[in-house]
Amino acid sequence: MNDKTVLLVLTSHDDLAGLRKTGYYVGEAAHPWQQLTDAGYRVEIASIAGGEPPQDGRDETDEIQNAFLADPSIAAQLADTPKLADVDANRYAAVLFVGGHGTMWDFPDNPAVNLTGRTVYERGGVVAAVCHGPSALVGITLSDGTPLVSGKRVAGFTNAEEEAVELTGVVPFLLADALEEKGATHVPGPDFTEQVVVDGRLVTGQNPQSATRVGRELVTLLSA
């Protein structure tokens, strides 16, 4: 395991049930990236299907997003990401499942997502997810078959937030409910405000507003 390298996993799904295009939420990758790189960690990127992952939530006034997309290493990786299934999870000290509505379709029950999360966690690494990224946690089980989130406190995009963006009837399931069905305790904060929950080596954030702190908490755990 390289104790200075963190893997960011992005969705490859770009269709919000015919409503509009979606993808990974750029700020939810960029803000943790800044925290990690400022602390001396290397960030590598993979996506579910490989190639260039679809973007959502791009804010051209966000200097951190601009720096992320302009960084030569990041730009080269985003131009042609490896498939997650082709990535050796043993190489990473942590994995961060980046959000965006696309994750709701291609993160849950994905074998590569399951294997990556389990491998990092069982090797003593940190698993993190933000906004809709915790949809990855719905399908991650440990080697004994127990859901990773069973008995753990987590954050994730709330039912109230899904209702506020008028996508309750569009997404394939409600994230908070699915996490609780796997034995997690979902801990919501007020809509669209920073809410991050750390439970052992699991770090979860509720929404885009939580992305910076998810990165900060990752650094804290990795530096311990």
Side-chain angles (χ1 to χ4, degrees):
M1 180 171 71
N2 185 332
D3 60 2
K4 298 296 283 186
T5 307
V6 176
L7 179 67
L8 267 55
V9 179
L10 309 181
T11 180
S12 296
H13 187 89
D14 69 354
D15 176 21
L16 192 58
L19 193 66
R20 63 172 174 82
K21 292 294 185 183
T22 186
Y24 80 93
Y25 219 73
V26 178
E28 293 169 16
H31 287 256
W33 162 82
Q34 184 196 44
Q35 296 293 317
L36 289 160
T37 52
D38 284 355
Y41 291 87
R42 171 174 168 75
V43 171
E44 296 185 0
I45 301 173
S47 66
I48 299 300
E52 186 174 358
Q55 293 182 357
D56 200 0
R58 173 81 168 96
D59 179 0
E60 295 183 2
T61 68
D62 183 337
E63 292 304 323
I64 296 173
Q65 290 188 30
N66 293 340
F68 173 74
L69 294 172
D71 180 86
S73 170
I74 295 300
Q77 292 187 71
L78 287 174
D80 188 16
T81 60
K83 279 185 183 179
L84 183 60
D86 295 335
V87 170
D88 179 7
N90 292 290
R91 296 182 52 242
Y92 301 99
V95 58
L96 169 60
F97 294 99
V98 175
H101 272 96
T103 65
M104 296 287 282
W105 280 267
D106 65 359
F107 275 13
D109 303 318
N110 181 289
V113 167
N114 184 15
L115 181 60
T116 300
R118 176 196 302 158
T119 299
V120 171
Y121 193 79
E122 292 187 340
R123 285 174 57 83
V126 182
V127 172
V130 60
C131 197
H132 287 90
S135 60
L137 304 176
V138 173
I140 295 177
T141 58
L142 302 178
S143 293
D144 64 3
T146 305
L148 173 60
V149 297
S150 180
K152 293 186 170 61
R153 299 167 70 252
V154 297
F157 206 65
T158 68
N159 292 356
E161 287 171 324
E162 207 69 85
E163 187 173 346
V165 297
E166 300 183 344
L167 292 174
T168 301
V170 175
V171 290
F173 59 92
L174 292 175
L175 179 56
D177 293 354
L179 290 167
E180 294 208 317
E181 286 168 8
K182 295 294 183 178
T185 299
H186 181 251
V187 185
D191 291 2
F192 306 108
T193 63
E194 182 188 271
Q195 170 73 347
V196 176
V197 175
V198 180
D199 193 332
R201 290 178 288 107
L202 180 64
V203 180
T204 46
Q206 178 170 310
N207 46 35
Q209 292 78 9
S210 307
T212 297
R213 192 171 147 212
V214 165
R216 197 178 304 135
E217 298 288 359
L218 252 177
V219 169
T220 297
L221 285 173
L222 291 171
S223 304

